[in-house]
Amino acid sequence: MATTHPATTHRAAAPALVETPEVQALLDRVAGLDNDRGNPRLKRILRRVVGDACRIIEDLEVTPDEFWTAMNYLTETGRANEFGLLMPGLGIEHFLDLCIDAQERRAGIEGGTPRTIEGPLYVAGAPLAKGEARLDDDPEEGEVLIVEGRVTGTGGAPLANAVVDVWHANTVGNYSVFDRSQSTWNLRRRIETDREGRYRFRSIVPKGYGCPPQGRTQALLDQVGRHGQRPAHIHFFVSGAGHRQLTTQINLSDDPYLYDDFAFATREGLVAEVERVTEPAALARAGLDAPFSRIRFDFALNPEVANAPAAVVVRAHAEAA
């Protein structure tokens, strides 16, 4: 005899609140999609950002207390001028680089020195030198660092009159302009390459820096169990006629945070081997009487092509006093 079972009622799951016509209409109005005024690109982005925020609130059951705690955090971060630090720490600045890499590949651009994040500490207008420069304007107890190399195209041809715009921290991890105890252009220069594409500068070995211990960025990193340290590094903008400007930095190979950078800026091809020079004849040739460090690093720039993404990022920078 067949066994009978009570009829099972199948009830469709209720749609997510954010997908209801009421909320979708609200989001359209928020983004101005119900009018033909304003900026269409901004409207599209705002619609997506606000819609995704609402989905997060609903999916993760974010409480009003949690939401307003987050808003207070963002307000404090803005007051402390730390968004330029927070974005690298969240990996977003690195992700922007990955996006540009992908766009360049679609435009047929391959090879060249890898890009990496600019960071928040560039100041435009550093003094321009021909061929070589000395960066350390301020007296400081630090080991001399000599960096030299060539700027070429991806085929290896030297780029004469290319500009190597370089900046880095001092021996305690601070940058001029942001650190008022340093002279304005300390550890900042622009160097024009010679006819063989060569550049050279003398400086001091920089130290990596950490997020301010009591700052807003470190407060968030603490909550997710992360440190806020960067390895010692040197920043560059490198530009040459007919070629795409390169935004990059090299990380010193002997730093303990080399592959544990809170800003995710270390990339293969950007690790600079540090050679410590102690041989008396080499010291004499360099005009020094104490051991120093040396880095040789070449930059290969990609040619500019049609339909490629912009190589120069427009963002606000601090200004020299």
Side-chain angles (χ1 to χ4, degrees):
M1 180 176 176
T3 303
T4 59
H5 299 279
T8 302
T9 301
H10 294 282
R11 186 175 298 168
L17 178 61
V18 73
E19 300 297 345
T20 62
E22 178 185 4
V23 174
Q24 288 295 302
L26 170 65
L27 295 173
D28 286 346
R29 290 181 62 195
V30 165
L33 297 182
D34 60 342
N35 67 67
D36 58 2
R37 301 179 297 278
N39 184 320
R41 171 71 172 166
L42 177 59
K43 290 183 177 188
R44 181 183 176 194
I45 293 172
L46 183 62
R47 178 62 166 78
R48 178 65 177 268
V49 169
V50 178
D52 285 353
C54 291
R55 286 183 178 85
I56 291 170
I57 290 169
E58 183 175 10
D59 290 349
L60 299 181
E61 298 180 342
V62 175
T63 68
D65 286 354
E66 290 172 328
F67 176 83
W68 290 112
T69 296
M71 293 305 100
N72 185 60
Y73 172 80
L74 294 176
T75 300
E76 291 176 350
T77 301
R79 286 174 178 161
N81 195 27
E82 280 199 31
F83 276 112
L85 200 58
L86 181 62
M87 293 302 103
L90 294 179
I92 294 173
E93 194 169 0
H94 176 59
F95 182 72
L96 288 171
D97 284 340
L98 298 179
C99 289
I100 298 174
D101 288 347
Q103 292 165 5
E104 285 188 338
R105 287 192 295 270
R106 290 194 292 271
I109 298 172
E110 297 279 359
T113 301
R115 68 169 42 80
T116 195
I117 69 170
E118 175 188 326
L121 300 168
Y122 176 71
V123 179
L128 179 65
K130 300 282 188 177
E132 62 181 288
R134 182 163 178 175
L135 275 58
D136 54 324
D137 295 333
D138 298 347
E140 189 172 3
E141 292 295 327
E143 182 164 290
V144 170
L145 172 67
I146 294 177
V147 180
E148 56 192 343
R150 298 172 71 229
V151 179
T152 71
T154 51
L159 294 181
N161 304 315
V163 175
V164 178
D165 197 339
V166 53
W167 69 102
H168 69 79
N170 65 5
T171 60
V172 293
N174 292 333
Y175 287 74
S176 63
V177 177
F178 300 87
D179 171 14
R180 298 296 184 180
S181 72
Q182 299 182 50
S183 58
T184 300
W185 299 115
N186 188 44
L187 309 177
R188 299 178 185 274
R189 286 296 188 278
R190 291 177 296 150
I191 305 166
E192 189 176 288
T193 60
D194 67 12
R195 63 183 181 182
E196 298 300 321
R198 294 173 298 197
Y199 76 94
R200 184 177 188 271
F201 63 84
R202 172 178 164 173
S203 192
I204 55 173
V205 176
K207 181 178 175 58
Y209 65 84
C211 297
Q214 307 305 317
R216 296 297 81 206
T217 302
Q218 189 59 57
L220 178 60
L221 296 176
D222 288 342
Q223 290 292 310
V224 295
R226 291 177 50 200
H227 69 74
Q229 299 297 314
R230 295 219 59 207
H233 58 280
I234 303 172
H235 294 269
F236 296 92
F237 288 149
V238 187
S239 57
H243 291 74
R244 294 174 61 75
Q245 177 175 296
L246 173 66
T247 299
T248 197
Q249 55 186 273
I250 57 175
N251 288 352
L252 277 57
S253 61
D254 55 357
D255 194 284
Y257 289 102
L258 178 61
Y259 291 106
D260 191 20
D261 179 2
F262 101 95
F264 307 101
T266 304
R267 306 190 74 177
E268 294 302 325
L270 296 177
V271 176
E273 294 298 327
V274 180
E275 174 193 3
R276 196 152 192 275
V277 181
T278 60
E279 200 268 326
L283 299 181
R285 286 194 297 272
L288 298 170
D289 57 9
F292 69 96
S293 291
R294 178 165 57 199
I295 291 173
R296 289 189 171 91
F297 197 89
D298 297 334
F299 298 99
L301 303 187
N302 286 300
E304 193 59 83
V305 299
N307 302 317
V312 178
V313 175
V314 179
R315 59 184 287 183
H317 294 116
E319 295 183 359

